[in-house]
Amino acid sequence: MNKSKYINFLFLLILISSCSLTKGLKEGEYLLYDIKVEGNKRTSRTELLNLSRQSPNTRIPLLNTSMGVAIYRFGEWTYDSTKHLENKQRYEAERKELLEIEENENLDKKQRKRLFKLNNNIASLEKRLEYGNFFMRTGNPPVIYDSAKAEESSRQMAYFLLNNGFFDASTDFSVEKRRKRATVTYLIVENEPYKIDSFYTRSDDENIYEILLRNQRRTNIKVPGIYNQSSISQERQRVEDLLKENGYYTFSRSYIEYNVYKDTLEKSVIIEQVIRKPSFADIHQVYFLDSVYFSIDPPSSEFVDEGIKTEFRDINFELYRDKYSEKIIASRIFLNKGDLYSRRDVIETQRQLANLDLFRFVNIAFDTLGNTLRPRIYTQPNQKYQITNQMGASITEQIPGPFFSHSLRNRNLFRGAEIFEFFFRAGLEGVVSFTGEGGVFRSRELNTSASIIFPQFLFPLSSQSLQKFGRYNPNTRTLIGYNYVNRPEYIRESVNGILGYSWNTRNLRQQYLVNILDANFIRSNLSNEFRDLLEGLQNQGNNLINSFLPSYVSSVSGQVIINFNQYGAFQRNKASLWRLFIESGGTTLNFVNREFIDSRSLAYFQFLKFQSDFRRFIPLSRRQTFAYRLNLGLARPYGISDGILPYEKYFFAGGSTGIRAWQPRRLGPGSFTPPTFEDGTFDYRFEQPGDILLEGMFELRSKLYGYFDGAFFIDLGNSWTFQEDLSRPGANFEFSRFWREIAVGTGLGLRMDFDFLVLRLDMGVKAVDPARPVGERFILGNFFSSFLGERGQTVFNIGIGYPF
């Protein structure tokens, strides 16, 4: 069996390597094998290479081949354009006949259906004729060297240098042709960059000049500094935004002009910013706001207009039926009579009204009279009810499990813009038995909840606070839910209730969530085998069995998410996200007599929990990005907990979003050595809860071809306990040895990125295993000594979305 695997693997390598990139090239054609940049000292090599109009095919290291080209050539081999042309002509002739019939008489249902199908077939054939079949569209054709595109690339590099202050720069390129391959080298001569000697503004409008002078420290043009064309573009946008925040409704960037005076001897420039006057007046007009008109139109023209006209806080309301709260709507409108026009207030009003989720759209227009603007806000009600049903499969323990979910959303429940949500989910998941029984079992899970979201803070209730906090999208969430889990070793049920506040800052950079009450009643029914296992651990001093007693768990928690530069939008800029979470469990029990607690039939817990999760995304080039995640977690029981946490509050290491070389929840804690099989390899069937979690994941992502991406990753980390655990020697955290207990995993990943969905397959390989004796923990070499390494060394993770 092992020999056949090796033979198949070698056959695949030979097959791929036989698809030489230079195979089939015509006379005079050369494969673009590589592009280089030489001579640049101050400018970025990556930015210069990104300007090239041609990029070489992504190749497999050590092999003169490309997977994308192999797929494309297979598509060419199976592609028959003649057949597609014949089918297209036949479909077009049939469509013509139907269109002629349609001109004289109406088509029946069958003919209309046929005409619709013909149009789809013709569109599909046109796509195949233009772009080829599926394999040709998925793969990449060989990139043939084009001298015209090389010259254009050289010119673009010259423009780039010019825009970055290298006015005396020059560019050229050379081509080395060898064995049907072409290597293009772009030769850069930068010379000395020009620096900004001074920057000043000239304007006949004194008010504009004073505004710009007050905000001069925020300018994007820095003196002294190297001239940069992009900073001028950014400055033009900044000036336009600044003036629109100060009443200049009709001002635009077209009134801003820049003159650059160059000194070739001193290698410096003087930049003059000119604010031109409008053609119809001597100065730009400043506008003030009049009273606001707010309208909710009927959902469709079929409804009789039952508009109700009211007035509140200088806002004239015309509402479709009298079922909307003027106070709530007014708290999300920041356009006040007598104020200067501010585009920021207009955008914020539009965004906060949309956050209410009551309207299909929010449009804001202005009526102009002299220097007065009258805002008009037009909206239309959203659907009262929204029902969503989903079916799919989740993958845990490498086993897919189906699930079904249903959600109901009822908008404007009590006429105060409240949102009622009902959620139900039932599913099966593959799990490994905690008791160590062989095989993978099905875990049945069911959860349901009902919640009401209020678009305000319930406390305090003053009208001033409603208006004060409206800019921060305040919400109060009340929830009651039920959860049911049926695993081979236990059945666990819980009823929970939550009362929480959420809000975000005006720039959307920070999001806050505070749960002032999170109460859970938990009941567990243990199997005999699992009870025996827990009692055995208890005899060794591990009281994990207390986590499965009938219990009441309450806590107060807070979370802040800081998003730097729109992390998660997958833009080309650097971005970061930092999530901080803190939780205090059983805090009120500090004020209750211990004898009263001991007399109760429920178990109670007191604990403190903290987690810091930092993620960063760094684009390296158009085809490569570097991302990493640093995750720290601490959970400490105290008081009546007797050293035990509720099971859901423990930290677990390993899994598709953690240390990927270990199965989910199986790594650690510390240097604890798990049980072994007869062949001496470790038995990872048991979950390993811990009080401390430390993780670091680093990933280099590269575009391969089409919607296929590749990744190389290194994960490191582990979990520990605060106290010694006699049932798991080496599990506790100690500064003197924790660094030797850091597990390291590495591997490769393949992703299919469809923009709307990312499918992920990661192969994690254990490189450093802290469960082994000191001096024997580096085991990466075992992976190369046998196929996929020793038993349990390689773990495959299937997931949806990026790991972080």
Side-chain angles (χ1 to χ4, degrees), residues 21-173:
L21 292 174
T22 56
K23 184 179 180 180
L25 293 182
K26 299 177 183 178
E27 185 67 27
E29 287 186 339
Y30 291 88
L31 176 78
L32 181 62
Y33 194 74
D34 196 9
I35 55 174
K36 302 177 182 178
V37 172
E38 294 181 358
N40 61 305
K41 297 178 181 179
R42 293 173 178 260
T43 50
S44 168
R45 175 180 178 274
T46 300
E47 290 182 321
L48 289 169
L49 286 175
N50 288 340
L51 297 172
S52 175
R53 289 295 184 258
Q54 286 187 298
S55 297
N57 295 106
T58 302
R59 300 188 300 275
I60 299 176
L62 305 179
L63 299 175
N64 179 29
T65 188
S66 165
M67 185 68 72
V69 174
I71 292 176
Y72 180 85
R73 284 178 171 168
F74 177 78
E76 276 189 320
W77 181 58
T78 59
Y79 180 66
D80 186 356
S81 61
T82 305
K83 181 180 177 181
H84 294 319
L85 281 171
E86 292 175 353
N87 289 336
K88 182 186 176 186
Q89 292 172 359
R90 181 163 52 85
Y91 290 147
E92 287 178 339
E94 186 178 353
R95 181 177 66 174
K96 184 178 179 182
E97 292 178 1
L98 289 175
L99 292 176
E100 289 176 353
I101 296 174
E102 189 179 30
E103 290 179 358
N104 300 323
E105 57 184 272
N106 292 330
L107 298 176
D108 58 28
K109 184 177 180 180
K110 184 177 180 180
Q111 290 173 325
R112 286 198 302 271
K113 186 177 180 180
R114 179 59 180 169
L115 180 60
F116 178 77
K117 187 175 182 180
L118 286 171
N119 287 329
N120 287 338
N121 289 340
I122 292 172
S124 177
L125 287 171
E126 288 176 345
K127 180 179 179 181
R128 293 181 184 179
L129 288 169
E130 183 175 0
Y131 301 106
N133 56 24
F134 169 79
F135 295 102
M136 295 172 69
R137 296 193 301 270
T138 302
N140 303 112
V143 178
I144 308 301
Y145 166 71
D146 187 333
S147 59
K149 290 183 178 180
E151 290 179 1
E152 176 61 24
S153 301
S154 180
R155 281 195 296 269
Q156 292 300 320
M157 292 179 185
Y159 296 149
F160 173 81
L161 293 168
L162 179 66
N163 290 334
N164 283 273
F166 295 92
F167 295 132
D168 300 331
S170 62
T171 62
D172 201 351
F173 68 94

Side-chain angles (χ1 to χ4, degrees), residues 371-488:
N371 67 338
T372 302
L373 297 174
R374 184 171 190 184
R376 291 185 172 271
I377 305 175
Y378 299 97
T379 65
Q380 192 176 75
N382 216 333
Q383 290 179 329
K384 173 68 174 175
Y385 299 98
Q386 179 179 333
I387 298 176
T388 304
N389 295 312
Q390 291 184 335
M391 294 186 67
S394 59
I395 299 175
T396 56
E397 309 291 353
Q398 327 309 323
I399 301 296
F403 71 86
F404 168 78
S405 68
H406 167 83
S407 64
L408 168 67
R409 193 174 182 88
N410 183 352
R411 297 179 173 92
N412 202 30
L413 181 64
F414 302 126
R415 191 183 173 274
E418 304 88 358
I419 303 293
F420 171 79
E421 291 181 337
F422 172 79
F423 178 78
F424 170 85
R425 186 184 188 278
L428 300 175
E429 292 185 358
V431 297
V432 176
S433 173
F434 200 109
T435 57
E437 300 176 14
V440 178
F441 297 84
R442 292 289 186 183
S443 168
R444 295 184 290 274
E445 296 189 6
L446 182 149
N447 57 75
T448 183
S449 64
S451 62
I452 300 177
I453 303 172
F454 300 86
Q456 57 178 312
F457 294 141
L458 291 183
F459 305 100
L461 294 173
S462 65
S463 58
Q464 291 82 3
S465 65
L466 185 64
Q467 187 65 32
K468 178 180 179 181
F469 297 119
R471 292 179 179 269
Y472 304 98
N473 191 27
N475 286 296
T476 301
R477 183 183 186 89
T478 60
L479 178 145
I480 184 169
Y482 169 77
N483 296 278
Y484 170 87
V485 178
N486 186 337
R487 289 180 51 128

Side-chain angles (χ1 to χ4, degrees), residues 91 144 154 238 310 333 354 431 465 497 587 589 591 663 680 702 732:
Y91 290 147
I144 308 301
S154 180
R238 186 192 73 88
T310 61
I333 297 176
V431 297
S465 65
T587 309
L589 298 178
F591 309 101
Q663 292 179 349
S702 303
N732 63 308

Side-chain angles (χ1 to χ4, degrees), residues 313-350:
R313 218 198 72 202
D314 289 326
I315 302 175
N316 299 303
F317 289 92
E318 185 172 343
L319 309 178
Y320 166 67
R321 297 180 179 175
D322 188 19
K323 58 178 183 179
Y324 294 92
S325 170
E326 292 88 346
K327 290 183 179 180
I328 295 296
I329 294 176
S331 70
R332 303 297 179 100
I333 297 176
F334 315 111
L335 308 175
N336 302 310
K337 184 177 181 179
D339 287 353
L340 275 174
Y341 165 81
S342 170
R343 185 166 66 175
R344 181 183 303 168
D345 289 340
V346 174
I347 295 173
E348 198 163 355
T349 296
Q350 196 169 24

Side-chain angles (χ1 to χ4, degrees), residues 532-545:
D532 292 341
L533 175 64
L534 293 176
E535 289 176 352
L537 293 175
Q538 189 177 34
N539 294 333
Q540 301 178 53
N542 186 331
N543 292 319
L544 184 62
I545 192 173

